[in-house]
């Protein structure tokens, strides 16, 4: 078939996030690659998916951007470094330019296979003492040790860059593999910094289980032992960076979030929900009117709506009058703050209804009304659910203490810790009404805020009640 009947890199560059499938490209050696399914798209830069070449299934990475050759060479060099070091990685099938521009890198298509991130998502809620969870993570730490022993570093070290296939764990994403000192082992300072990137992605309570994970790392790296105080310091820095990076993504167009901005409007929505929520985002007030109104106050209107088979909550932040509107013009809306804090809590593993979308009315840089869309939680609030005349049942007690210990550890204050802002749902207590949530940088500021939160929570129940005395005894100290 003639080249002009095939898809060119220039066409793919302008195809956005959803190029029409299937499509075919010509390789420099005359063969044709048919792309069947896409796993990841970086618009105008790179496409990754399942493809067919000469009757064989392959994983294809197509580099189509302005720097395609540089990124293609980097990917190929990373895979070659892994092979040279004897580390398990999918076999390279072909790496060459495409006839119509851009570059292709093809590896074996492993089926069935799943990323370690997918495996982790099924067990992440378990305690750090769970042996099955530990055995799931240990092979990844051994592979990281082998990387470091070979003088290699994975600059994009996360669980999705490990692939499980036929009982083996493989390293993928050669683009992020960098040679530091191959074939000699990496300096311990560099190895410690890279290991911290992986440890930072585990829940904070896993710090007590590092002693069980580090032997797995040493099994690959040799009898070296990272300095634990230095490792803890590195992990804290990485956690802070990852959180800042994630929160920045919640308000810009990226793989996870679809963001649109004009002179009169700003909207952000989880990309996976963008299509189903599109009618609601186009007319949020119509959705509020059609739903069940739960609150209709001067500053806030709350409605429960059904979208498909999902029950959602829409919160509209109103403007009471001219003075109120003028006071809100230059500040991020309360919806914006709640959107970011909801994602902060979820990132830190603190239960809260999932924030799905944010809308702000704007006039250039000036902000007016705003809407927040979240998952709806049907559970009762703690004022209704708990009896003041008895200690909380064991499951509720455990959930309550886990919530407040997590918030205390992360220096997070709520600002209005009424029992009605704590919902009991399927063994968890969810935090809602996040308008005043703050993660404090300074311990002293958090201590003062927690003292206020703690006192506000206790005031929900009579001073002489059994429940209040139990809380006073078990909550983190003021």
């Amino acid at each position: 078939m003639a080249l002009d009947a095939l898809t060119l890199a220039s066409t793919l560059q302008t195809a956005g996030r959803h190029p029409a499938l299937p499509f075919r490209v010509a390789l420099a050696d005359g063969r044709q690659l048919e792309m069947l399914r896409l796993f990841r798209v970086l618009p105008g830069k790179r496409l990754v998916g399942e493809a067919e070449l000469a009757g064989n299934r392959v994983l294809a990475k197509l580099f189509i951007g302005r720097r395609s050759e540089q990124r293609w060479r980097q990917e190929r060099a990373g895979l070659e470094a892994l092979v040279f070091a004897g580390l398990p990685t999918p076999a390279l099938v072909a790496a060459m330019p495409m006839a119509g521009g851009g570059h292709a890198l093809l590896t074996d298509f492993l089926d069935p296979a799943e990323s370690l991130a997918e495996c982790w998502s099924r067990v992440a809620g378990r305690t750090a003492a769970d042996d099955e969870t530990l055995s799931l993570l240990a092979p990844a730490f051994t592979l990281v040790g082998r990387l470091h022993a070979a003088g290699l570093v994975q600059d994009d070290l996360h669980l999705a860059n490990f692939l499980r296939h036929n009982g083996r764990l493989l390293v993928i994403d050669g683009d992020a593999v960098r040679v530091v000192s191959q074939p000699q082992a990496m300096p311990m300072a560099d190895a410690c910094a890279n290991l911290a990137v992986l440890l930072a992605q585990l829940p904070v309570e896993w710090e007590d289980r590092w002693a069980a994970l580090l032997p797995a790392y040493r099994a690959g790296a040799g009898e070296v032992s990272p300095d634990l105080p230095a490792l803890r310091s590195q992990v804290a820095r990485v956690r802070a960076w990852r959180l800042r990076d994630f929160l920045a993504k919640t308000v810009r167009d990226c793989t996870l979030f679809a963001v649109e901005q004009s002179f009169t409007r700003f909207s952000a929505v989880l990309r996976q929900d963008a299509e189903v929520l599109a009618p609601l985002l186009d007319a949020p007030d119509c959705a509020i009117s059609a739903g069940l109104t739960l609150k209709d106050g001067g500053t806030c209107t709350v409605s429960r709506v059904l979208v498909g088979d999902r029950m959602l909550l829409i919160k509209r932040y109103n403007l009471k009058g001219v003075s109120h509107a003028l006071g809100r013009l230059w500040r991020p809306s309360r919806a914006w703050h709640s959107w970011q804090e909801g994602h902060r809590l979820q990132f830190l593993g603190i239960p809260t209804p999932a924030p799905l979308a944010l809308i702000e009315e704007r006039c250039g840089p000036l902000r007016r009304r705003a809407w927040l869309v979240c998952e709806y939680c049907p559970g009762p609030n703690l004022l209704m659910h708990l009896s003041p005349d008895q200690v909380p049942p064991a499951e509720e007690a455990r959930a309550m203490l886990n919530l407040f210990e997590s918030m205390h550890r992360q220096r997070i204050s709520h600002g209005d810790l009424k029992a009605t802002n704590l919902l009991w749902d399927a063994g968890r207590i969810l935090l809602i009404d996040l308008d005043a949530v703050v993660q404090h940088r300074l311990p002293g500021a958090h201590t003062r805020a927690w003292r206020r939160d703690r006192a506000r929570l206790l005031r929900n129940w009579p001073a002489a009640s059994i429940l209040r005395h139990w809380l006073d005894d078990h909550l983190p100290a003021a």
Side-chain angles (χ1 to χ4, degrees), residues 29-40:
D29 64 0
R31 291 182 293 175
Q32 293 181 9
L33 178 76
E34 184 174 11
M35 188 68 81
L36 305 173
R37 185 165 50 129
L38 291 173
F39 301 139
R40 190 177 185 207

Side-chain angles (χ1 to χ4, degrees), residues 107-130:
T107 57
D108 280 346
F109 188 86
L110 304 180
D111 187 30
E114 63 178 343
S115 74
L116 193 58
E118 292 171 306
C119 302
W120 172 254
S121 67
R122 295 195 294 268
V123 299
R126 299 185 187 179
T127 67
D130 185 80

Side-chain angles (χ1 to χ4, degrees), residues 355-379:
L356 305 177
L358 161 72
I359 309 168
E360 285 188 338
E361 279 183 340
R362 292 189 177 181
C363 182
L366 307 180
R367 313 194 191 205
R368 303 189 68 249
R369 295 187 305 166
W371 296 258
L372 181 71
V373 183
C374 297
E375 292 281 7
Y376 174 74
C377 174

Side-chain angles (χ1 to χ4, degrees), residues 118 155 245 278:
E118 292 171 306
D155 280 331
D245 181 65

